[in-house]
Amino acid sequence: MLVEYKLPDLGEGIHEGEIIEVLVSAGDRVIDGQPVMVVETDKATAEIPAPVTGTVKEIKVKPGDMVKVGDVLMTFEAEGKAEPAATAGKALPEPREAAPGKPAEAGGGASEPVAAAPSTRRLARELGVDIRRAVPTGPGGRVTPEDIRALAEKQPEKAPSPGRAPAIEPVESPEAAPVLAAAPDHDQYGPIERMPLRSVRKSTAEHMARAWSQVPHATHEDVADVTELESFRRKHKAEMEQAGGALSMTVFVLKAAAAALKAFPRFNASLDAESGEIVLKHYCNIGVAVDTDRGLIVPVVRDVTCKSIRDLGIELRQLAEKTRQGKAERAEMTGGTFTVTNIGTLGGTAFIPIVNFPQVAILGMARARLQPVVKGSLDRYEIVPRLMLPLILGFDHRVVDGADAARFLGMVIKTLENPEELLMVV
């Protein structure tokens, strides 16, 4: 039986990937579960297993190709009985076919719902088109925003349906990324070189555009005196390394942030704009931005409130190494409720971090520097050298206000400035 092997739905908003390596050739015999290719997504690099035992019939992709969910990657001549839609252990829904120029019906009946994301339905309402008339091109017969726009271009301009527009427009699907303006002819001014925007870089560009367009960003900045904390870090650094971890300043910030998130739960939340609700999360999974040769990737440290400084030092080091090597699993890249990003190792006094949508806040760390600090009063003071750590809190102003941000960051600073209190944080 001939089996078409399609890129399966990888979940968590992942809808495309780049072929990094093809591990088999046409004519090779493979066993069910044997790796046949390596695909890189915005989350991680993963080996894709053969869905059947049989012979590779045809390979339809090559390294460097970008593929989307539902694209046929290769075909197999299966030995014995096999499900034609088998993909890595689970079936992928077959797209519903439609005659050229004719929309596909959802399930065969015009009265049945059309498969489409809420954001796609919203786009159809805004453009004044009937989503049931769109020709679906997405996996499983799903209508995409591109299908809606194509339909809108084919009919006379029509005003959007009357009614109250929602005050907040959420983006729930990667397909709803903002439309980019056409680029000018740069080569008219001199020689140029073009390089494809792929994988992590492409995903980052889309995610940042969504975050910036959807979230009313605001920031609050302050500095923490980490002189005593740095002395503590140096004292226990070797002990942590012997345990297989790294006692970085980021580890302490993770623990301090977790305590603040517990005290100020609105920073550990998401905004469900469609329902008009703030989703408070009773778990603390903090993403940590990691600089890799593929771009900035954010693995997630889970249940930070339940882990000691020692546990966090070991886990964060291992997780960062896996991420840089492209070996982090998808489960280690998702589910974050808050993000910490540290640019301090590269320099800089401050920066504006972009909220990692759909989270509502992100904490940035710049470089800690020895600075002259005035202690005392106007009548009696002294100038002493202190190690000062700049902290920048970016937040969604729809969910929290500036006063909330000041209190939140104030608690983080208070915790960092008292190492003994930091060790007692639960």
Side-chain angles (χ1 to χ4, degrees), residues 226-254:
V226 292
T227 311
E228 278 75 26
L229 185 59
E230 176 62 12
S231 297
F232 177 88
R233 190 189 73 82
R234 293 184 179 186
K235 180 180 178 181
H236 297 279
K237 178 181 177 182
E239 179 184 341
M240 179 68 81
E241 290 176 350
Q242 290 178 358
L247 194 57
S248 65
M249 193 61 69
T250 303
V251 173
F252 296 115
V253 171
L254 280 177

Side-chain angles (χ1 to χ4, degrees), residues 139-196:
R142 194 175 184 84
V143 176
T144 69
E146 289 73 21
D147 302 333
I148 297 298
R149 295 188 184 97
L151 177 61
E153 292 176 357
K154 293 178 182 179
Q155 66 181 29
E157 185 173 351
K158 181 179 178 181
S161 302
R164 183 177 63 85
I168 304 170
E169 289 291 334
V171 173
E172 299 179 5
S173 166
E175 298 171 338
V179 179
L180 301 179
D185 296 328
H186 301 289
D187 54 356
Q188 64 179 308
Y189 304 110
I192 65 170
E193 178 184 357
R194 291 182 176 272
M195 58 185 298

